[in-house]
Every structure is written in structure tokens, then in C-alpha cells.
Amino acid sequence: PLRGEAEELFRELLGLSYPRRIEGFDIPHFGGEAVVGSCVVWEEGKMNKKCYRKYRIKTFEGIDDYRALREVLTRRAKRIKKGQYPEPDIWLIDGGKGQLGVALEVKRKFGLNTFVCSLAKGRKSSIPKMARSLGLRNTPPSIGYLDL
């Protein structure tokens, strides 16, 4: 029954069939130190911990969430294009307008067919004009997404 409800939710809210693979990305840091990128993976509705990855930020030092996210997603996209990882149905990005824009830029650069979503804290998501914002019931975040 849960899968049926999830399939209906994806179809109704996002216009998507049930995703087989979702990759979620975040750029955590502790007070500006130890900046890393993290990737978690859901496959067929279950967390696949074997596919989790932590990315050391290699191209710069300091705090720049957008630059760090661009580096992580670019490295991931290169591996997807080389066939080292399957292309996900969805990239789920932790962040708002800026992070969503970075993810869309990387997606386009590498010609991925991946649907891109960003989750932002608060009642409103600030997202690019080409995307739609959707408040989710009974949850604090909003979701911004781009229709393909």
C-alpha cells in the first residue's frame, strides 16, 4: 500500500512515475571547517547505504556552498556519464534557489535526464522562475522543482 501511495504522490505532485533511483546531496560543514559533500541514495524505495558517498572538497578552501555543490555534482555527473553510476531519476538537493540553480547548471552541462528538486527550510522556497514551488502538507520544508 505504501508504494501505491508514493506512486500516486509522485504522479500527482511532480508528474513523474515512481523513481527507481534518487540521489540526495548536502554540503555540511562545522563552523566553516571540514566542508564536505555528501550523497545518499534510495533505490526502489529503500536506502542503499553501500552507495552513500562523502566527497572531500578539492578545488578550494573555505566556505562556499554553491562552489562546493558544483564540484560534488560535477564529479558525480562525470562518473554517471562514464557509466560508473546509473543515472538517477531524481537529484534531491538540500538548499534553496542558489543550490537549485547550481544543480540545474550541472545537469544541463552533462546532458542528464535527471529531475532536479531542492528542499528549503521554511514555508516558501525561493527558486528560479522556471521552477514551481510547492508547499508540502504536515512538513516544514517546501520543495522547488523543475518540470522537464
Side-chain angles (χ1 to χ4, degrees), residues 76-110:
R76 189 71 174 191
K78 284 179 181 179
R79 288 179 177 254
I80 289 168
K81 293 307 270 186
K82 288 180 182 176
Q84 294 174 323
Y85 297 123
E87 185 170 347
D89 299 299
I90 297 174
W91 268 353
L92 181 60
I93 310 298
D94 181 19
K97 178 180 179 179
Q99 288 86 349
L100 179 62
V102 167
L104 293 172
E105 173 190 311
V106 173
K107 169 197 155 148
R108 288 185 194 113
K109 179 179 178 180
F110 287 92

Side-chain angles (χ1 to χ4, degrees), residues 35-89:
V35 179
V36 296
S38 63
C39 174
V40 296
V41 177
W42 293 267
E43 287 185 317
E44 302 294 337
K46 297 178 184 170
M47 302 303 289
N48 185 341
K49 293 183 180 183
K50 291 181 201 171
C51 293
Y52 286 14
R53 295 292 177 265
K54 182 172 86 174
Y55 293 87
R56 284 186 304 121
I57 304 305
K58 298 177 179 180
T59 59
F60 69 97
E61 291 184 20
I63 304 172
D64 185 336
D65 287 352
Y66 303 132
R67 196 167 162 191
L69 182 62
R70 183 176 290 108
E71 178 182 328
V72 168
L73 293 178
T74 296
R75 288 166 57 189
R76 189 71 174 191
K78 284 179 181 179
R79 288 179 177 254
I80 289 168
K81 293 307 270 186
K82 288 180 182 176
Q84 294 174 323
Y85 297 123
E87 185 170 347
D89 299 299

Side-chain angles (χ1 to χ4, degrees), residues 18-37:
Y18 189 76
R20 292 180 25 224
R21 184 178 175 97
I22 300 172
E23 295 181 350
F25 294 90
D26 188 18
I27 305 296
H29 55 82
F30 301 98
E33 306 219 3
V35 179
V36 296

Side-chain angles (χ1 to χ4, degrees), residues 10 13-16 89-93 96-97 99-108 112-119 125 127-134 143-148:
F10 277 100
L13 296 178
L14 305 177
L16 295 174
D89 299 299
I90 297 174
W91 268 353
L92 181 60
I93 310 298
K97 178 180 179 179
Q99 288 86 349
L100 179 62
V102 167
L104 293 172
E105 173 190 311
V106 173
K107 169 197 155 148
R108 288 185 194 113
L112 299 177
N113 291 317
T114 300
F115 188 88
V116 178
C117 301
S118 71
L119 289 173
S125 222
I127 54 176
K129 291 177 185 172
M130 78 267 288
R132 291 186 287 168
S133 179
L134 172 66
I143 185 168
Y145 61 93
L146 175 71
D147 285 326
L148 296 176

